């Protein structure tokens, strides 16, 4: 056993130490980069959540009512949300990136296609007569409020990684 220890000690006495110092330095740099990336990711998540909570405060998480010209209201908020979406996209794992992009595209499509008329139709009470009820049930579109809440929840699920 002493022979092995003497051999190892002799090796470290004859070998230069700069490779070990270099690898140690690279290890420290890697740890600092990881810490920095975790902080940047946390900030991206916080900014994305904050943007959704402030820009859509009338509609999410508690629905207080549709503003007039809902299409204009939502589309005017998309650029700010798009910026935070792009920043957060960098930190989404590759296997979840397709789902993230799909959820964002669905949200954008909803914002561009929602109209005050669709909201008004969804808020109307159900018809009392049978003919109108069957006609309404065949042309029934999903409630925009429920769709909106589902889309926003789908976006926010990506911040819980």
């Amino acid at each position: 056993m002493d022979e092995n220890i003497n051999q190892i000690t002799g090796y470290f006495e004859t070998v230069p130490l700069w490779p070990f110092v270099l690898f140690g330095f690279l290890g420290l740099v890697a740890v600092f980069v990881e810490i920095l990336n975790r902080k940047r990711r946390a900030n991206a998540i916080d900014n994305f959540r904050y943007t959704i909570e402030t820009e859509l405060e009338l509609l999410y998480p508690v629905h207080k009512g549709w503003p007039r010209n809902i299409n204009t209201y939502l589309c005017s908020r998309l650029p700010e949300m798009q910026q935070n979406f792009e920043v957060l996209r960098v930190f989404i794992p590759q296997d979840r990136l397709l789902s993230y992009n799909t959820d964002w595209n669905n949200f954008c499509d909803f914002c561009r296609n929602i109209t005050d008329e669709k909201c008004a139709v969804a808020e109307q009470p159900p018809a009392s007569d049978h003919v109108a009820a069957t006609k309404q049930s065949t042309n029934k579109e999903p409630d925009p409020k429920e769709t909106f809440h589902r889309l926003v929840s789908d976006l926010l699920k990506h911040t819980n990684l």
Side-chain angles (χ1 to χ4, degrees):
M1 183 72 169
D2 285 336
E3 213 175 286
N4 290 337
I5 293 175
N6 289 338
Q7 187 178 11
I8 293 171
T9 307
Y11 175 76
F12 281 110
E13 289 174 356
T14 58
V15 172
L17 292 179
W18 68 266
F20 298 107
V21 172
L22 179 65
F23 283 129
F25 178 72
L26 290 176
L28 284 175
V29 168
V31 167
F32 287 129
V33 166
E34 179 65 24
I35 291 170
L36 181 65
N37 279 339
R38 286 179 186 226
K39 178 133 179 89
R40 289 177 53 216
R41 180 179 179 276
N43 285 341
I45 288 171
D46 290 342
N47 287 341
F48 188 72
R49 284 185 152 285
Y50 178 76
T51 301
I52 287 178
E53 290 169 358
T54 57
E55 296 292 329
L56 305 174
E57 67 184 332
L58 286 176
L59 306 172
Y60 190 85
V62 177
H63 185 83
K64 298 174 185 166
W66 292 109
R68 296 182 68 69
N69 298 325
I70 185 70
N71 181 284
T72 306
Y73 177 83
L74 290 175
C75 288
S76 68
R77 282 144 175 81
L78 281 179
E80 178 73 24
M81 294 173 70
Q82 174 77 30
Q83 179 183 0
N84 288 318
F85 166 81
E86 296 293 337
V87 171
L88 183 59
R89 180 189 292 183
V90 174
F91 300 104
I92 299 294
Q94 187 68 34
D95 60 334
R96 296 183 182 172
L97 196 56
L98 177 62
S99 173
Y100 182 64
N101 289 332
T102 302
D103 290 340
W104 175 254
N105 289 335
N106 290 339
F107 179 76
C108 289
D109 289 343
F110 175 84
C111 291
R112 291 183 187 111
N113 295 328
I114 190 71
T115 61
D116 290 335
E117 291 80 24
K118 289 180 183 178
C119 296
V121 167
E123 290 177 356
Q124 289 178 350
S128 59
D129 64 342
H130 179 70
V131 175
T134 56
K135 182 179 177 183
Q136 187 179 15
S137 66
T138 58
N139 294 335
K140 180 89 171 155
E141 289 188 26
D143 184 18
K145 294 175 193 171
E146 292 174 10
T147 304
F148 178 79
H149 278 265
R150 181 183 48 79
L151 291 171
V152 173
S153 296
D154 287 349
L155 282 174
L156 290 176
K157 78 178 177 190
H158 297 286
T159 62
N160 298 326
L161 300 175

